[in-house]
Amino acid sequence: MTRVTVRFGVVLAFILLIAYSGFATYRWMEADGKNKSMMSYAVSLADVPLWELAEAGSMFEYLIRHNATDKLLNERISTYSLHARTLSYSSAMLHALTKDEKYQIFRTAMKNLEGFFITVKNRPNGKEVLESNLDVLKWIGEVLKEKRISDLTFKEAEKILELSGELKT
């Protein structure tokens, strides 16, 4: 009788372990699918702002050379500020999902860039400030050119952070 009880207990524990293992695997696969979906969304969310910011330096250079109005410059500055903010949010999501430090570095760089654009927009001499920072903005654009946020390397993120720190207001 005791032998039957022990066998029954072992079999029951084994069945419960298999059931729990199946449930845990199912939950893990479900969470993994959600993470991949969130990563895809964060990368896609960053595409347009990334491509537009890659051209910001060239765009400002063109506008300044062709005597764009302050109103037009401010509109572009606002747009690029929002793009930097969007990239900051996207980077935060990607960092939370992947724990890859390059996204945290890139997020900091985008916060710097957003702060730069906000400051320039509120300066009476915004056009001159932009003009004095064209080279840095164009260098940032060169690093970002034809990339998705997921394609950025750690060194590129560091370079963008370094360049964003060189922007002078």
Side-chain angles (χ1 to χ4, degrees):
M1 185 78 167
T2 3
R3 204 169 206 197
V4 172
T5 306
V6 170
R7 276 191 184 176
F8 177 73
V10 169
V11 168
L12 182 63
F14 189 65
I15 290 171
L16 289 172
L17 184 60
I18 290 173
Y20 175 75
S21 175
F23 178 72
T25 301
Y26 169 76
R27 298 287 290 170
W28 174 78
M29 288 175 60
E30 183 179 50
D32 188 49
K34 286 180 182 177
N35 279 352
K36 285 181 182 175
S37 177
M38 290 285 292
M39 282 184 58
S40 175
Y41 173 73
V43 169
S44 295
L45 177 69
D47 282 344
V48 171
L50 198 65
W51 296 331
E52 290 226 4
L53 278 179
E55 298 299 326
S58 298
M59 176 61 75
F60 282 127
E61 183 176 49
Y62 176 84
L63 292 172
I64 290 168
R65 282 192 182 164
H66 290 86
N67 296 318
T69 64
D70 288 342
K71 184 176 179 181
L72 179 58
L73 282 172
N74 281 336
E75 182 269 320
R76 294 310 307 163
I77 292 168
S78 293
T79 299
Y80 291 134
S81 174
L82 290 173
H83 287 329
R85 182 179 301 161
T86 300
L87 287 170
S88 171
Y89 292 157
S90 185
S91 299
M93 288 191 304
L94 287 166
H95 181 256
L97 291 166
T98 66
K99 305 296 184 226
D100 191 339
E101 201 58 31
K102 74 178 179 182
Y103 295 119
Q104 187 64 24
I105 292 168
F106 187 68
R107 179 178 187 229
T108 304
M110 291 301 102
K111 284 295 200 187
N112 292 347
L113 195 55
E114 178 188 11
F116 168 76
F117 286 131
I118 289 169
T119 302
V120 168
K121 185 176 180 194
N122 293 323
R123 297 279 304 266
N125 64 338
K127 188 184 279 189
E128 291 81 22
V129 175
L130 275 176
E131 198 166 11
S132 68
N133 285 284
L134 283 177
D135 288 338
V136 176
L137 291 170
K138 289 186 344 191
W139 274 110
I140 290 171
E142 283 301 312
V143 178
L144 295 176
K145 195 165 271 188
E146 298 179 20
K147 286 199 176 22
R148 296 190 88 190
I149 194 169
S150 55
D151 297 335
L152 285 173
T153 64
F154 186 84
K155 283 189 175 198
E156 289 170 332
E158 284 183 320
K159 181 65 176 173
I160 294 167
L161 177 61
E162 177 188 326
L163 288 167
S164 72
E166 292 177 15
L167 293 166
K168 303 293 183 225
T169 56

